[in-house]
């Protein structure tokens, strides 16, 4: 089966051709500019490739209500030109094939549960900790949408006592996860690139505290069978043991699961698909669109 995948990001649009098993055969990347400039690149890439369906994992917020005439539109983004842009419709009209769409993190969650770290499970939460923070969830075998879609990156945090910037940097909320713990927040707090902070710097204890609070909140609300942490910041692999330990401390043995009490190393994990999760997730969304 020949399927198209689009990872729509704020800085680049990654287009790929692949199959229903998540194998990628061809890939191209275009910088994200105004829609009038960017969309022709995407359409030209897919036009003559003979795809049966297209799946999009996109930055948001998105309208994901399948009953809405605006299903698949980008909604309130500050990104110039893209607010209220009908991303799904524009590509469905231009390509004439079924087009599925979901958030970038839901796409990655789908890829990890079907093909990666959560294979065989029926629930999983995927977080990206990068330029932003976002979470996607599979619950009882289905991607979670709800009223709009989850915005887990904006959950509220209890500031670390040694955090010199305890309100963080989200323009909307004091002390929210993204404003406390995304890559740019680390850099604003310490005035250096996150890549250059040595592993023993207190910055990483503070970062691990927030990511552990995130895991605790996730566990008590959704009770997922696996939590996958990806994104640029998680390239700092020394964060994983810190986050696992602090998650156990904060839960204080309250959640009576051996998975958390004894096997947390296999519970809070890096993505198994690495940088391929986005493309694989989009291919699975294409397959889904074809089957509905
Ligand atoms: P995006 O979120 O834009 O899709 P990434 O997930 O790569 O892309 O996130 C980029 C952010 O991650 C940057 O803000 C940077 O601060 C941070 N980052 C990237 N690589 C590293 C690293 N090796 N160590 C720490 N932080 C990193
Ligand atoms: Zn916020």
């Amino acid at each position: 089966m020949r399927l198209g995948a689009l990872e729509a990001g704020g800085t680049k649009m990654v287009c790929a051709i692949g199959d229903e098993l998540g194998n990628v055969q061809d890939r191209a990347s275009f910088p994200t500019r105004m829609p009038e400039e960017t969309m022709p690149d995407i359409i030209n890439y897919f036009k003559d490739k003979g795809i049966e369906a297209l799946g999009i994992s996109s930055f948001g917020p998105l309208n994901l209500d399948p009953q809405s005439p605006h299903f698949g539109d980008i909604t309130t983004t500050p990104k110039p030109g893209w607010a209220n842009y009908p991303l799904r419709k524009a590509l469905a009209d231009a390509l004439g094939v079924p087009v599925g769409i979901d958030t970038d993190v839901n796409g990655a969650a789908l890829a990890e549960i079907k093909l990666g770290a959560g294979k065989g499970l029926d629930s999983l939460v995927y977080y990206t900790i990068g330029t932003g923070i976002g979470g996607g969830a599979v619950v009882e075998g289905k991607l979670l949408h709800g009223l709009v879609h989850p915005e887990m990156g904006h959950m509220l945090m209890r500031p670390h006592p040694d955090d010199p910037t305890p309100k963080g940097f989200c323009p909307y909320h004091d002390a929210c996860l993204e404003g406390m713990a995304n890559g740019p927040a680390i850099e604003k707090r310490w005035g250096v690139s996150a890549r250059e902070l040595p592993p023993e710097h207190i910055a990483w204890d503070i970062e691990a505290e927030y990511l552990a609070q995130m895991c605790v909140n996730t566990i008590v609300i959704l009770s997922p069978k696996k939590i996958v942490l990806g994104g640029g910041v998680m390239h700092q692999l020394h964060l994983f043991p810190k986050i696992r330990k602090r998650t156990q401390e904060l839960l204080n043995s309250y959640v009576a699961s051996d998975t958390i009490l004894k096997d947390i190393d296999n519970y809070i994990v890096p993505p198994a698909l690495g940088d391929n999760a986005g493309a694989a997730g989009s291919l699975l969304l294409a397959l889904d669109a074809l089957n509905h």
Side-chain angles (χ1 to χ4, degrees):
M1 194 180 285
R2 210 169 154 74
L3 300 169
L6 170 62
E7 290 171 71
T11 52
K12 60 185 196 292
M13 297 284 183
V14 182
C15 301
I17 305 294
D19 65 21
E20 69 281 13
L21 302 174
N23 302 309
V24 172
Q25 281 116 34
D26 187 66
R27 198 190 286 259
S29 175
F30 307 103
T32 306
R33 292 143 289 152
M34 295 292 276
E36 309 79 72
E37 301 164 275
T38 315
M39 293 301 285
D41 286 346
I42 298 170
I43 292 164
N44 284 333
Y45 175 82
F46 287 116
K47 206 171 46 187
D48 300 318
K49 298 253 182 351
I51 57 172
E52 291 177 59
L54 174 69
I56 308 170
S57 309
S58 179
F59 72 97
L62 301 171
N63 181 327
L64 292 178
D65 173 6
Q67 309 306 325
S68 163
H70 293 288
F71 174 59
D73 292 7
I74 292 169
T75 59
T76 53
T77 179
K79 194 147 181 67
W82 292 92
N84 301 313
Y85 186 77
L87 181 62
R88 194 202 76 90
K89 184 172 186 303
L91 290 168
D93 289 351
L95 300 172
V97 295
V99 178
I101 187 165
D102 217 310
T103 60
D104 42 13
V105 278
N106 263 357
L110 182 63
E112 286 291 337
I113 199 165
K114 294 278 187 206
L115 307 167
K119 233 195 272 184
L121 302 179
D122 65 355
S123 68
L124 172 148
V125 173
Y126 176 96
Y127 281 98
T128 180
I129 297 106
T131 308
I133 297 183
V138 177
V139 177
E140 296 182 349
K142 284 169 64 177
L143 285 169
L144 183 66
H145 296 109
L147 185 65
V148 184
H149 48 72
E151 287 284 2
M152 303 185 204
H154 296 270
M155 69 176 77
L156 302 182
M157 294 275 111
R158 189 163 70 188
H160 187 290
D162 299 322
D163 186 344
T165 53
K167 289 188 174 178
F169 305 94
C170 175
Y172 294 91
H173 318 111
D174 281 352
C176 90
L177 172 61
E178 179 170 288
M180 302 291 254
N182 64 358
I186 300 172
E187 295 177 2
K188 284 186 199 139
R189 182 180 293 121
W190 304 106
V192 289
S193 145
R195 280 187 189 79
E196 287 163 30
L197 284 165
E200 61 279 6
H201 197 286
I202 191 179
W204 299 117
D205 293 329
I206 292 175
E207 182 70 10
E209 170 68 23
Y210 296 139
L211 298 179
Q213 289 186 28
M214 170 188 89
C215 289
V216 166
N217 293 342
T218 305
I219 290 164
V220 296
I221 294 175
L222 291 175
S223 198
K225 291 179 182 162
K226 188 85 75 177
I227 299 178
V228 180
L229 305 182
V233 173
M234 295 313 300
H235 290 154
Q236 302 281 337
L237 291 177
H238 57 87
L239 278 171
F240 278 95
K242 285 197 169 94
I243 295 165
R244 291 173 184 137
K245 178 163 175 281
R246 202 52 199 139
T247 298
Q248 287 175 323
E249 286 171 4
L250 289 167
L251 282 170
N252 198 20
S253 303
Y254 181 75
V255 177
S257 158
D258 281 350
T259 302
I260 292 168
L261 296 172
K262 296 186 182 152
D263 196 27
I264 199 161
D265 290 358
N266 292 311
Y267 181 66
I268 298 174
V269 296
L273 300 173
D275 294 337
N276 290 326
S282 305
L283 291 168
L284 294 173
L285 292 172
L287 180 66
D288 223 41
L290 201 59
N291 293 336
H292 282 94

